[in-house]
Amino acid sequence: MSDSARCPTTDNGALFACQGQLPRLPVPDLDATLAKYARSLEPLLQPDELTHSKSLIEEFKRSAQGRELQQRLESRAADPSCANWLEDWWNNLSYMGYRDPVIPYVSYHYSFSDDPGCSTAVERAAKLIDGAIAFRQQVVDGSLEPDMTRTTPLCSHSYNFMFNACRIPSIPSDHCQTSTYNGNETVVVVRGGQFFVFSFLRNGSQLSVDEIAATLEQIVQVADANTAEPIGILTADNRDSWARNRKVLLGLPGNKDLLDSIEASAFLVVLEKERPVTREEFSHAVWHGSGRNRWFDKPCQFVVCDNARAGFCGEHSMMDGTPTLRLVESAIAYASELPTPSAARAKRDPELRALHFQTSSAIVSAVKQAETLFATAVSKQHLRVLCFDAFGKERIKQLGCSPDAFIQLVIQLAYTRLHGHARPTYESSMTRKFLHGRTETCRSVTCDSVVWCASMADQNTDNAARIKLFRDALATHSLLVKEAVNGQGVDRHLLGLRMLVKQGEEMPGIFEDPAYSYSSHWYLSTSQVSSENFTSYGWSEVTPKGYGIAYNICKNCLIIHIICMRNEYGLDSDRLARSFETAAKDVHDMLSGSPHKQ
């Protein structure tokens, strides 16, 4: 089923035309990284802890082992057979080797704005399917232009894993399976825990949007009149458990063909019976629903609820947000130009196949266990979506600020006010300007940000001084982001050095230092994906002690998706949302010299 032609380099149209010209991810200078690392610890540690950590950093800097590890990493990066020195380590450690369920701990979601041209789920889904098929065709024939940052092309490698791909559970590490494009022009639809597959190419002719609508109507009719064991919930289980249960499924007659149909399909469409109203209900519905009506291993799942509200759930292992953002933006724009579909106008009758899985007592038991695990994990997620409409990107730019750096500093102020101190903060920075690049960490807590936050609580600091401190923090943050996107961050380099300590060699003290694990324990995990077409987007926290904060910087508003666990650490997404709202207004007033007039 694997298709080696899915990883082209330079000869498959515009999309991959620049691959051979992309620079490789650099290995930063060791002394420079260690100096940055030391600076990143200064606002996080007590004086005695900082002194100890800096001594270990200096020891590593002067050691023969430090130089040897740097040389090993440089040799790995120079190996012509290694496209990216970080790629295999990162994909395995962060995704494929991660054993907890992908929901809620890995996958992310986009919740779309409503389509005024659609009043039913079938209408909305048909239009989005048509739009996604059109985008897929550009990926298949390579006519899609590569993503760009101004004049710089970005790596297109991740597009190989967008369509006709699936994460496959394995022990000790999962893998991504890709299938041929030709012969797999299919969409899998899930309704009421039942799976159906249809081909969008019939006798060489693509189905019209009306014919897609007719197919979906028939699926809804069949699914609503029947029930089935919700096999899809198994994809929400612990990865080792799912790997074992997948083998059990494969051992039952006929199931291999059914699994192949799902895993090889272009993408998956979920027709949910839910009718979410609030932003939080909507986010939960798109992100995971009941868990019974999904196949969470598919990279791309379009989700449409019975009230025609729609969104996207992405499996994160091989793609980050920018490629799927482009997919859904394109599908939404394409759909907006289509007339409202009508099954009555379909010229060809629907042709679809229901995928009836064979089950056993072991599978039924596994389903119940997966449902319990899923329900427990999801019930702990405390989610709040804040639509801050006092101002947005345009006003922030008028104030002379980078919108992203502005939001990051507001987050720091909001968290510090609520919890009394700064904690290690991760901001995802894209490194796709490099071959097979994905992300680097921007360590958002700096001495400048901490000093500025303190000034906001100090009545003896006047407004001019606060503004100066704020702009210093803003400039520092923007510099850190610039370094990260240019492959000059701290975390990926240190990871590479640590990974090259051979079995039997002593682990350097810098990596045994509690400050190393603490400073990369992300109490705040943050990232931006901005679209005027979204009402929210988000994912879970990455530690039980922290928050996940996804933000969408719109022209005239800010949409902030905040999530944490309900547990013994007493975090509260509602309170942090309120603190963000107050902090954002305070920063605006500080910079403008007067309260914002709504």
Side-chain angles (χ1 to χ4, degrees):
M1 185 172 288
S2 179
D3 177 13
S4 60
R6 293 290 298 281
C7 296
T9 53
T10 60
D11 57 354
N12 189 23
L15 181 59
F16 296 95
C18 298
Q19 291 296 99
Q21 305 163 27
L22 294 176
R24 292 184 174 221
L25 183 69
V27 176
D29 177 77
L30 180 59
D31 289 358
T33 293
L34 295 177
K36 293 174 188 176
Y37 174 53
R39 285 196 298 272
S40 78
L41 297 180
E42 291 175 1
L44 298 173
L45 302 182
Q46 296 299 316
D48 57 334
E49 296 171 331
L50 183 62
T51 298
H52 176 68
S53 294
K54 284 189 172 181
S55 70
L56 293 175
I57 293 169
E58 186 64 24
E59 177 184 291
F60 184 70
K61 175 182 175 181
R62 295 178 181 274
S63 70
Q65 187 181 27
R67 293 191 296 274
E68 171 63 21
L69 293 175
Q70 177 75 359
Q71 180 57 51
R72 290 176 189 174
L73 189 56
E74 290 172 351
S75 297
R76 178 183 173 94
D79 183 349
S81 66
C82 180
N84 182 303
W85 62 260
L86 176 65
E87 181 178 24
D88 289 344
W89 289 333
W90 183 251
N91 288 352
N92 184 64
L93 289 172
S94 296
Y95 300 109
M96 294 304 189
Y98 185 72
R99 299 290 84 193
D100 284 341
V102 295
I103 283 289
Y105 304 116
V106 177
S107 297
Y108 60 95
H109 76 278
Y110 306 135
S111 298
F112 303 161
S113 301
D114 292 342
D115 182 344
C118 295
S119 59
T120 71
V122 163
E123 293 169 353
R124 188 80 188 273
K127 292 172 71 174
L128 288 171
I129 290 170
D130 207 25
I133 291 170
F135 189 86
R136 175 187 177 274
Q137 184 56 42
Q138 294 180 74
V139 173
V140 171
D141 63 26
S143 63
L144 187 72
E145 292 292 329
D147 296 334
M148 305 284 288
T149 55
R150 296 179 182 171
T151 60
T152 301
L154 302 180
C155 182
S156 297
H157 179 63
S158 55
Y159 281 95
N160 288 299
F161 308 102
M162 180 174 282
F163 299 110
N164 302 97
C166 194
R167 179 171 175 161
I168 304 297
S170 304
I171 301 174
S173 183
D174 296 355
H175 65 276
C176 182
Q177 177 176 279
T178 58
S179 302
T180 55
Y181 291 134
N182 293 334
N184 287 306
E185 295 88 356
T186 57
V187 173
V188 167
V189 181
V190 199
R191 172 78 172 183
Q194 301 163 69
F195 292 83
F196 303 82
V197 62
F198 72 90
S199 174
F200 55 81
L201 195 65
R202 195 185 303 174
N203 299 322
S205 172
Q206 184 177 313
L207 297 188
S208 69
V209 69
D210 295 325
E211 290 167 336
I212 294 172
T215 303
L216 297 178
E217 279 197 0
Q218 184 166 330
I219 287 172
V220 171
Q221 291 172 6
V222 173
D224 288 358
N226 294 278
T227 60
E229 197 68 35
I231 298 299
I233 192 69
L234 296 176
T235 65
D237 205 350
N238 170 278
R239 301 307 295 177
D240 288 350
S241 296
W242 170 215
R244 289 189 287 267
N245 288 320
R246 183 174 180 273
K247 288 184 178 180
V248 175
L249 271 177
L250 285 169
L252 296 172
N255 283 349
K256 183 181 185 305
D257 177 59
L258 307 186
L259 285 170
D260 285 348
S261 294
I262 294 172
E263 293 163 358
S265 64
F267 54 90
L268 192 137
V269 174
V270 178
L271 298 178
E272 286 283 11
K273 295 182 180 181
E274 296 183 43
R275 306 179 71 87
V277 176
T278 69
R279 290 177 183 271
E280 290 77 17
E281 289 173 349
F282 189 20
S283 290
H284 279 299
V286 173
W287 186 22
H288 53 72
S290 68
R292 299 160 59 90
N293 203 43
R294 305 294 175 93
W295 200 266
F296 289 114
D297 288 351
K298 288 296 285 184
C300 300
Q301 294 187 91
F302 287 89
V303 181
V304 184
C305 300
D306 264 359
N307 57 356
R309 305 198 78 180
F312 177 90
C313 179
E315 199 286 306
H316 208 340
S317 60
M318 297 302 291
M319 286 189 299
D320 299 309
T322 46
T324 55
L325 172 64
R326 190 176 182 189
L327 160 65
V328 299
E329 291 268 54
S330 176
I332 290 169
Y334 188 98
S336 70
E337 299 296 321
L338 294 173
T340 301
S342 169
R345 291 197 300 264
K347 295 182 179 179
R348 292 177 286 188
D349 292 334
E351 292 183 6
L352 57 96
R353 181 164 67 105
L355 306 181
H356 296 297
F357 282 93
Q358 295 295 314
T359 61
S360 63
S361 59
I363 289 298
V364 172
S365 176
V367 164
K368 294 186 185 306
Q369 291 175 10
E371 287 179 325
T372 299
L373 180 67
F374 170 86
T376 300
V378 167
S379 68
K380 292 180 180 179
Q381 297 297 307
H382 184 210
L383 186 159
R384 171 68 191 279
V385 181
L386 170 66
C387 182
F388 178 83
D389 57 6
F391 56 84
K393 177 173 62 178
E394 294 303 310
R395 179 57 180 161
I396 295 172
K397 292 169 71 174
Q398 288 173 4
L399 294 171
C401 303
S402 155
D404 181 77
F406 180 97
I407 299 301
Q408 284 290 324
L409 286 175
V410 170
I411 290 171
Q412 288 303 313
L413 181 58
Y415 184 90
T416 299
R417 284 175 167 176
L418 187 61
H419 294 287
H421 44 70
R423 290 286 197 182
T425 302
Y426 171 101
E427 181 186 3
S428 178
S429 297
M430 181 179 65
T431 56
R432 285 181 58 213
K433 67 188 297 182
F434 302 106
L435 187 65
H436 293 198
R438 293 193 64 173
T439 61
E440 172 60 278
T441 303
C442 172
R443 293 184 165 215
S444 298
V445 177
T446 65
C447 289
D448 288 333
S449 69
V450 169
V451 169
W452 168 71
C453 286
S455 78
M456 295 295 285
D458 183 2
Q459 295 182 354
N460 294 320
T461 304
D462 63 28
N463 200 58
R466 288 173 177 168
I467 292 174
K468 172 65 167 58
L469 293 172
F470 176 80
R471 294 207 179 276
D472 288 346
L474 209 68
T476 299
H477 184 84
S478 295
L479 176 61
L480 291 176
V481 170
K482 182 178 180 180
E483 290 175 344
V485 300
N486 284 308
Q488 300 297 319
V490 168
D491 289 87
R492 305 297 189 262
H493 187 193
L494 292 181
L495 171 64
L497 297 172
R498 182 167 60 86
M499 293 297 294
L500 288 170
V501 177
K502 296 178 181 178
Q503 187 174 4
E505 293 181 341
E506 183 179 359
M507 182 63 67
I510 188 176
F511 299 124
E512 299 284 359
D513 182 13
Y516 177 67
S517 58
Y518 170 69
S519 68
S520 57
H521 193 79
W522 307 119
Y523 288 73
L524 289 166
S525 176
T526 73
S527 185
Q528 176 197 169
V529 169
S530 290
S531 170
E532 298 288 340
N533 290 313
F534 295 172
T535 64
S536 76
Y537 102 96
W539 64 90
S540 77
E541 69 292 326
V542 299
T543 169
K545 298 179 180 180
Y547 296 93
I549 304 179
Y551 53 99
N552 180 358
I553 307 175
C554 297
K555 183 177 180 180
N556 295 310
C557 71
L558 308 172
I559 302 174
I560 317 296
H561 182 285
I562 303 175
I563 196 161
C564 65
M565 279 191 181
R566 294 182 174 94
N567 57 24
E568 67 272 24
Y569 298 110
L571 305 184
D572 191 310
S573 294
D574 290 333
R575 295 184 70 208
L576 184 56
R578 178 57 182 163
S579 187
F580 179 95
E581 193 170 20
T582 302
K585 290 178 179 177
D586 288 349
V587 174
H588 174 276
D589 295 350
M590 175 192 73
L591 293 173
S592 64
S594 61
H596 179 68
K597 297 179 180 179
Q598 298 188 38

